[in-house]
Amino acid sequence: MGRRGRRLTRRLRWIGLAEGVRPKQPVRSLLVLWGSLVLGLASAALVLDNLCTSHRLALEAEADNLHAAFSQMLTSWDVATDWLAEVADAGALDDIALSETIDPNPIYPGFAWVGVARAGEDGLHLLYSAQRIVRAHHEAVIAHPAVRRALDRVLERPGSVLSEPFTLAGGPCEGPMAVLLSHDARHSDRGLVAYSPVCLQATLAYLVPRMAPFEMEVFVNGQSVFHKRLDDGARMLVRHRTAIEERGMHLVAEMASFPYPFNWQLALPIFLFLGISGVGVGVFAWSRIEERERLLAEAMLETYRLTQKHSQFLAEVSRLLAWHTDTGAESVLPRVASRAVPLLGQGCGICLLEDKKNVRVIVAHTDPDVEARLRRDFSGPIPLPGFAELLRGLAETKDKRIPDAALEGLLDPDSPEELRIAIRKALRWCIAVPMIARGRPIGAVVIRMTKGQRYGLRMIRVIHDLGLRIALALDNARLLRSQQEAIQAREEFISIASHELLTPVTALQTNIQSLVRLQRMGAEVSEARLARALEVAERQVRRLVHLVQELLDVSRIDAGLLLLDKQRFDLAELVEDLVIRYEKEAERQGCTITYSGRRGVWGVWDRPRVEQVVTNLLSNALKYGRSRPVHVKLEKDDEVVRLRIQDHGVGIPADALERIFSRFERAVTDRNYGGLGLGLYIANQIAEAHGGKIEVQSVRGSGSTFTLVLPRGNADAARPQADPLPLRESMH
């Protein structure tokens, strides 16, 4: 997918579409664009080559014209010199020689002057000059080395010779000059020499077309004598070099044409390139707009299909979890994970919190071998301490995704290395979302991303919705299970409470009915019989009051009305009194109760409530002690006091140690022991209200040891000691 497809995907992802959609970029528009550019370049290059060819031909024609003009000039000079020689030989110009000026233009433009001289032993003697000149200047020209060499060649053989270019100071021409010499052999031995000093710049400037669109530089015998420039900033694209050999003179003309970029002819290839390329760009732009709309429509359609699939999947998951809420939603989680692949990803893992440290994982994968390996690696609980705290933090911040490195960072360093490697490998290329219901952490859903598929905000929302449905289903299942357990506990409690309340009422009613029957029969009731009946009635009434008082205490604890009236007193004195009070009950149970401790265990507590706790622990020790001895020991230090009550009875199972301090919970279910299952719950709540606790150690069949731990408090800040109030009144 090209840059265009990526931009389109980013645009779709920004508006919440194209999750997992990868639109393909067609090459048709790119071929049209590149084809138009290549065609434009080729057309422009062809036109430019034609222009260069035409200019090259023009330069060759100009070179031929220059050669012809130069030859014509020399021919005209021959004619002029022959005429001058004949006129001078006839003596027709003796009267005007060196005195009158003859315009040289009719002969040929560019000559400085034309003259005839006779060769003597000491040089040339001027006989005739077409222009008025100074004789000294004539002698300077004749004496120049280049002219002397040309003169020697002329005198040695007939014909005309052009001297090498030279510059004569103070001469009539500022540029290079040359002298055309011709020897007339018809006269004396030395003959007549016709000569013409020529200004090369003026001559070549006349021969070269002034308006020709090319640049020229002329070299005579390797020396530059003429240069025509068009523009200092021009760069020539076409160059031509021609050589002219005339009468011993080697003349080279270098010409260049087609200056760039100031020539209007360059506009043609440029316009041609822009026109053809513009057509291609227009077609490309049109096809790109059309293709973008098509891709957008396809992406929206594909997104709609994915949305439909995701909605159907979530609806199916909701139905599946709802159907199994009453039978256990956890049993259908493997089916949920299997249906999540491959729709959401290659793999799916549902992580459930078992406790504060361990996590149980349910996995599914598109590859059966990988799925089997993952199930084998994660068959047992995985130690992830801090996972619950991480989920609580995400619940507070309302984040929909767990950071990538968060789960790997929670691995227990003491776990096996094989498990750590397997977890790191499984978490690679994964998205994890939390499962939280009513602020309570349930676990997490981990999706292994499909290769090549993009996971944006929309896909994360789908995975988060999946996790939310699973969390709500599990939470509802647990609430339903808790409700059922609560209903069962309530029914059991009602049954036990009815039995417990009915027992003292029945005993009390039986005694009263027996006394009433004896009174109706007129029989006398002995004092011993009456005393026993009253004792039984008092004991049953006390038991009935105790049961009702426990129910009232539970209601007060739930309502937050458990108030403490603290005062300073000696706990050892209270424990001694309670031990003495329970000695008769211990005798009736067939066991003994012993106490060890010293007086002076002072502290700041609520005396009636502490008495209620100690009474409950003593009664439990006697009830479950199997008529074996009960030991009570009181210890103290600077901060806390510890009251240990040890029995040697039935003991408490290990799985029941944590729940015996809950409401309506008992370590045994045998109704022979009786009770509402509220005593330890109330005692523990009172101890915690004092800032203390109740600890328990027990072995099944070997008895139990309950330890009441209370902080001593600040005696100086306590209220003055008051008379103990009755239990009923102290709870208000």
Side-chain angles (χ1 to χ4, degrees), residues 480-500:
L480 180 60
R481 187 163 52 249
S482 300
Q483 184 180 10
Q484 293 174 351
E485 293 176 356
I487 293 174
Q488 182 179 359
R490 184 190 65 183
E491 293 176 352
E492 184 179 357
F493 164 72
I494 292 175
S495 176
I496 295 174
S498 301
H499 175 74
E500 293 296 328

Side-chain angles (χ1 to χ4, degrees), residues 12 15 17-18 21 295-305:
L12 295 174
I15 62 176
L17 301 175
V21 179
L295 290 176
L296 182 61
E298 290 181 357
M300 294 180 67
L301 179 61
E302 185 67 21
T303 301
Y304 173 76
R305 293 173 180 172

Side-chain angles (χ1 to χ4, degrees), residues 382-404:
I382 300 175
L384 287 177
F387 186 45
E389 287 73 10
L390 174 64
L391 295 180
R392 290 190 184 94
L394 294 176
E396 294 177 357
T397 57
K398 297 182 180 180
D399 290 339
K400 294 184 179 181
R401 183 176 178 180
I402 301 175
D404 295 336

Side-chain angles (χ1 to χ4, degrees), residues 340-379:
V341 294
L343 180 61
L344 300 183
Q346 290 183 343
C348 176
I350 302 177
C351 306
L352 300 178
L353 276 171
E354 289 192 346
D355 49 38
K356 295 182 179 180
K357 183 179 180 181
N358 295 321
V359 176
R360 182 164 55 91
V361 181
I362 300 171
V363 297
H365 201 275
T366 54
D367 190 347
D369 297 334
V370 176
E371 182 176 346
R373 177 176 58 80
L374 292 175
R375 289 183 177 179
R376 183 176 62 255
D377 294 338
F378 304 141
S379 58

Side-chain angles (χ1 to χ4, degrees), residues 5-70:
R6 290 194 294 270
R7 287 201 302 267
L8 179 60
T9 304
R10 287 196 296 269
R11 176 186 173 189
L12 295 174
R13 195 182 308 116
W14 181 76
I15 62 176
L17 301 175
E19 295 293 347
V21 179
R22 294 178 59 86
K24 296 181 179 179
Q25 175 70 24
V27 297
R28 182 181 59 187
S29 58
L30 294 177
L31 290 177
V32 171
L33 176 62
W34 287 109
S36 63
L37 293 177
V38 172
L39 181 60
L41 287 175
S43 302
L46 181 61
V47 172
L48 187 61
D49 181 69
N50 291 333
L51 289 176
C52 292
T53 302
S54 63
H55 278 267
R56 189 177 296 107
L57 295 177
L59 291 181
E60 292 178 0
E62 292 293 340
D64 294 340
N65 293 335
L66 178 63
H67 191 182
F70 193 74

Side-chain angles (χ1 to χ4, degrees), residues 56 60 96 130 148 169 190 275 294 310 377-378 428 449 452 455 498 521 539 603 631 650 663 668 678 704:
R56 189 177 296 107
E60 292 178 0
I96 60 173
R148 295 296 300 175
R190 304 299 291 176
R294 186 184 66 81
H310 293 158
D377 294 338
F378 304 141
R428 191 177 303 164
M449 293 184 291
Y455 285 73
S498 301
M521 294 174 57
R539 186 168 61 251
H631 302 287
V650 296
R663 288 185 297 178
V668 295
L678 297 174
S704 305

Side-chain angles (χ1 to χ4, degrees), residues 565-569 602-605 714-724:
D565 186 12
K566 294 184 179 182
Q567 55 185 335
R568 184 173 181 272
F569 66 93
W602 295 90
V604 180
W605 306 290
N714 188 1
D716 297 336
R719 296 172 50 188
Q721 184 174 359
D723 295 333

